[in-house]
Amino acid sequence: MAAASPDSRLPTQYNTLDSEDDKSVHIERAQGRGGILEKHRWLCAAAACLLLLGGAAIFLRQRSPQGTLTVAGPIELYALDAKPKADRRSYQYHMLPNGLAVLNIQDQKSTQMAMAMAVRAGSFDDPENLPGLAHFCEHMLFLGTEKYPESGGFDTFLSKNGGSSNAYTANEVTVYFASASKHAAREGLDRFADFFRAPLFNEKFVKKEVHAIDSEHQKNLQDNGRRVFELLNSLADPRSVVPRFATGDFETLYEVPKRNGTSTVEALKTYFQQRYCPGQMRLVTFGPDTLKDQLGFVQEAGFGQLPEGDEICTKSARNFSSPAPFPPERMGHMLTVKGTEETGQLWLRFQLPDLSKEFASQPFGYLDYTLKYGGQDSLFHVLKTQLGLISSFSTEADPSSTGTGVFVVFRLTPLGFEEPQAVLDVFFGYLASLRRKGVDEGLYESLKDMYKLSWDWEGAADAEDAASGLAEAMTRLPKDKLLTGDSLIEEQNPALVQSLIGLLTPSNMNLALVAPASHGSKLFRNASWPVKTLPHYGVQYVDRPLAMAMPDALERWSAWLNGQPALDKGLRQQLRQRLVASNISMVLDSVTLPPRVPDAIDGIPKHVSLKHMNASEEASVSRPRQSMRGSENELLSAAPPPSIVEKSFGPVPVSLELGRGSSFLKSSKPSNDVWFRSGWITKSPKVKLELIFRTLDVPEGPESKASDEILLSIYNRLLSEEIGPELFDLTASGSTYGLTVEPHGLGLSFDGFEEALPNLIAKVLKAFNRFNEERNATHPERFARITKAIKQDLQTFSDMPVRYAQEAAGVLLSRNSFSQQESLTALDEIINSGNGPLSATSAAGNFVLSRELQTTALVMGNLASESASDALANVTSGLQKPSWVHAVPSPEGARVNRVPLVVNPNVSVEVRATNPRSGDPNDVALVMLLWGVWDVQSRVMLGILSSLLRTTAFEELRTQRQLGYVVSAGTGLKSNVLYVVGMVQGTKLDADNSEAALEGLFTNLIPRALSNMSEQDFQQHVDAYRQQLLSPPLGTSEELDHFWEHIKTGGKCMHLLDEALSFMKGPHCNKQLAVDMWERLAFGKKSDGSETRRQKISVKFFAAGNVSAEEATVPKRPSLEAARKAWDLQGVAPRAVEMLTREWHEAKVVDRADSQVRQELARDGGYFPQDLRCHIDESVDGTSDILHAQMTQGKVMRKTA
């Protein structure tokens, strides 16, 4: 629960996977988040948007490269003045003479520029004989233009300027976007314009990029959600564009065209000519430059001179509605599908009309809310908590000109998978009730109010997201509805909503029952229908008519939907018959059937006070921390001028004295770690409270056990199920809360309008206290269902394998963390103990509420100090110790563990294990080099080098060598320990050779890049990084998190960014220091030539092939001779071979990453010091050796007993 003072602008936990076209994926995994489709923003978004008002024709003066002004002619500009109340940006829209629509956005405080181009061309435009061509075009556009022919030139330019780029291909649009330091605007736009004027489409890159696309597709093959989505779409009329293969692969883009004598490049050029013309493009620019200057940059870059294109492009109507993809004869399928996860799923797909023109009434918003409503006796509550048939469900829409596909996805419990008809009975019973009630205009009106409230005060999108999101919106919304069209309900249309509800019928549905992966081949053992395989995805399934699979059910559901009067009785009778074999059938009389349809949202603020909303930049308190005793004006009048960072993030919070109830529990120790600040630098009328109550522990005392973690995981799920529904209506009106119990503390958060906070706090704490007191109230069936769900989660590896490699490295370094196998073993022990339910419901009392606790808190936002003190007192006095809890005294020497310990391995560690995803063909290699405890200088220097690492790894290992879809490198932070990491996931090399390739990156490619870099180039990287650090917060969460991360570690590092910026201005922030630091990190070499030991952790996962991960064997570790050959082949610097040889001999090689291995490493090497070095030592001359000596100063190689 504590973090070692990470700052959001300096290197923190590394969690970025650089892979091409992450946003090309049309589906997100259904697991956890509930999202399955890439949403178009018109669904229910409340992002920052625009309302375009009238305009006037002006004469634009174009700025030439020499700085002179030339008249470009009259352009009609539309000022966008109506916008969210929190939006401080300025907007203008205009159409260039060649037909290109342009939106300029000015954010005066931003240090970043961004640009995006949306093209009305997507996978629906693919030629039938070249599936994936639109996606291929997206890739090839980045690989050189006439003016800038270098294949990696754009990425190199962005890297020098602290930027990045990406793109995605959707059904009917392709969006390209990039961001960089504000100084890069003119050249960046010039390079970007050449993408769309003169791309090279170089033949020599075709095979490489097709391999990249094929790697992307291979990743999708293991994605359960993507597979089922494509399978359901494959049922569409084959003449429609819907069932087409959108991604493309090596077969469709290389092998088949080659066999047919088709030139992919010529087809690409034709496609570009017919789809990429100004009339089909929408450009957005973003930055601190004035709107006039941005428009000048656009003209200067040549966007206005892009050729208008041929008639096919300029007059393209582009409507894919005919033939209809899902006429009645294409509906009524039931698919039984072999899944890739351990959790069964039930997918329903309904076909609705194209709703793209209905944005003003947001009809799907109403439908979405009524289906996903989570209050007491709701559809979700009945299916999950009362009946135990599902663990979660989601509803999403896939809109296009072909119509709107509505997906309802249930994640099933084992009982739900065995009885899917019971799930469907409740679902259609609810729809019948919803249809009978009709559209509730009061609910519709309250949704309208909530949309407006959220839109007004939502945090701003970052530069890249703002540009790319609005570019996409420009392809489908009129200019006067660009933001309101996605975010507001401007008019109610009950008749339309009712008609959509009327289309949610069995006859307008296709259904897929997805089996857990463990069912394997036995799923189809007795199938009387043929087993089919979906082309390109390899999904095995059986397709039956729904009328034959569930004949009585169809008749029953249709009768309910058509108004059969005995709905509640008939539904209850059906469930009793279906669930007769389970204990649930015995308690059906207490189940709410049909589930309750929600009423209007209550408690939406009508008149929001803004009295304390703004935090004055002049109100900074930079001096040593003070208590809020005197008047705030008295304190502020004595404050020095604000620092640079305070101008971005606002005044540093000050100490707050609690009044009544300042002790959380009688046994709690009072704490001075309570902080407050009134107002925001960003604009919001809301208030945020963050609190943690931490146990007092001996720093290197015994770790928690895996069983402790699992018991608390069960506890948190039980708690959420118990109190979530009764608190749902509170959160629907704009408030949120968070409540998490961990082995060493309790975390609470509240977010809402001041007037709603007392009621929110009181109800949350009342529910929490009641749950802890009534520990015997949990039904054994609920405990059994939740433990089964946790077991399924622990047995499921649905993410990319490289994510599990990251987790494995974390387990080796961080105390109180465990492997999934350890957690599974602990879970089985709890289940078999006979006392599981009571142990789980008592977990918070036994592990946390029985202990001495120290309070750390921060209140920020639209309230005065007195109100903040009252709010915190309401929390600390409202929490109660259960009557059955007995106090446990803290051990001698115990204290709050503010900076989590990190293992300090004294040897290299190599993990060799099987890829945990059965059937996944990829090998994975992760190499982590530990720098050690960070200080200001090291965090800055490695932060600067991070972009060089990322770009070099991607260009050399991914683009040039095609080692895999996922290739990534960068810097990160684990507690107070800084590290560099590189990762490769792919099929081209095995994990041993991929590790060698990463060593080649560290020992050859990066030193070469630094050697070739001039001091001027390096200072350009420094300036770009400085601009990143100076970027102002985009919303209240970012603003609060900046301070909260420091407060959790004692508040000593509040001015870390100021220290970093000061160092960057000084003479020691230079290329030579970067070279010296990299020498020590990558080679273990000091600047005087002497050696030190590298601290390296490598994690290698080997593909299991056609057997399960459990049955697979890991290849024997290569001999030293074989390793040397790999180092040579993969480009390792010759001068690194001796060091690698020594590490090969000394390495600790293990077959797993778990707590036992970690404890062995800690026993031999101890832990890094828990120091926080937040200030520059002026005596340090800047050399890497002295920096490292300072970093390890006073270091004790602590050993565990």
Side-chain angles (χ1 to χ4, degrees), residues 951-969:
T951 304
T952 305
F954 194 81
E955 172 64 19
E956 296 292 337
L957 302 187
R958 211 290 306 176
T959 302
Q960 297 298 329
R961 297 188 58 192
Q962 294 292 316
L963 296 191
Y965 175 67
V966 176
V967 174
S968 183

Side-chain angles (χ1 to χ4, degrees), residues 985-1000:
Q985 173 185 303
T987 58
K988 187 171 183 178
L989 299 178
D990 65 17
D992 289 313
N993 277 277
S994 292
E995 180 203 25
L998 289 170
E999 288 288 8

